[in-house]
Amino acid sequence: MTSKREKEALAVKCAEEVFTRYGYARTTMGDIAAASGMSRPALYLLFSDKDAVFSKVIEEMDRRTLDKIRSALRDIEPLREKLLHACTTWGLHGVELAAAHPDAADLFDLRFVAVRQVYGRFQELLVAILGDAVAKSDLGVTTEEFATTLTYGMRGLRYASSSVDDMKRMIEVHVEAYARALGSR
């Protein structure tokens, strides 16, 4: 007998595949149920609506990405390289996904609470990476402000980039400017 937790995990895994292939707008609860091998009523017993499933999918994708970044950061020095790794890994994830599946671009819309939370968690990670480097600078901003502008600046790069490689190069330039502002090379 499969537990509720196991059914939820299966539904989230299958929903991730459906959302990444078709995007938020084109995905239905019926699509998720079919991919999960369950009926729509069974899926509704697990999740109240598509937004609830979507939130869990985004949360899980974000957890994996942040875990991957944190794991690698243990072996990376100096600060510039830490920022570059974190920003490249995090910033390219959505661009690579949208390049492979153009309909998936709507998964990163800030109108979704879950997506705004992803940005917040990444900013928290940047604050941890930055430590007291911002406070030691003469920039006159808080570490949180620095992390916010670094994060949302990358969002802007997404709209300017023409390819995954172009986005990667723009992230490198973006991080270089921020690192130099802190005196880190």
Side-chain angles (χ1 to χ4, degrees):
M1 188 151 131
T2 308
S3 72
K4 181 178 180 182
R5 180 170 284 166
E6 291 169 325
K7 289 177 187 175
E8 284 177 1
L10 174 64
V12 168
K13 179 180 179 283
C14 294
E16 181 177 337
E17 294 170 10
V18 176
F19 280 126
T20 57
R21 179 173 217 84
Y22 300 111
Y24 179 86
R26 290 185 50 209
T27 297
T28 67
M29 287 293 273
D31 296 330
I32 297 166
S36 303
M38 62 180 72
S39 68
R40 282 185 55 203
L43 182 60
Y44 276 107
L45 289 173
L46 300 172
F47 297 98
S48 59
D49 57 22
K50 182 168 81 167
D51 285 340
V53 181
F54 178 73
S55 292
K56 288 300 257 186
V57 166
I58 294 300
E59 183 180 306
E60 179 59 24
M61 290 170 71
D62 186 46
R63 183 196 58 74
R64 286 193 314 263
T65 300
L66 293 179
D67 285 352
K68 178 180 173 182
I69 293 168
R70 284 186 189 103
S71 176
L73 287 177
R74 292 183 207 124
D75 300 322
I76 299 174
E77 290 293 337
L79 177 61
R80 179 198 171 280
E81 294 302 317
K82 286 180 181 279
L83 289 173
L84 183 59
H85 174 75
C87 291
T88 301
T89 303
W90 187 81
L92 286 183
H93 178 253
V95 174
E96 291 169 334
L97 186 59
H101 304 287
D103 289 329
D106 73 352
L107 300 181
F108 307 100
D109 192 321
L110 288 174
R111 70 186 162 107
F112 298 116
V113 171
V115 174
R116 290 193 306 270
Q117 290 170 339
V118 165
Y119 277 76
R121 286 188 291 267
F122 184 68
Q123 287 170 234
E124 290 170 5
L125 175 64
L126 288 179
V127 167
I129 291 170
L130 291 163
D132 61 355
V134 177
K136 289 179 179 178
S137 76
D138 61 357
L139 293 173
V141 300
T142 67
T143 304
E144 290 77 12
E145 290 169 327
F146 193 89
T148 299
T149 60
L150 178 56
T151 300
Y152 282 93
M154 287 193 315
R155 182 170 181 84
L157 298 177
R158 174 179 295 159
Y159 295 109
S161 68
S162 59
S163 67
V164 172
D165 287 339
D166 191 34
M167 179 68 175
K168 184 173 192 262
R169 177 66 185 137
M170 285 195 281
I171 289 172
E172 290 169 356
V173 171
H174 190 65
V175 169
E176 183 66 26
Y178 275 78
R180 284 185 184 218
L182 295 174
S184 176
R185 291 185 191 232

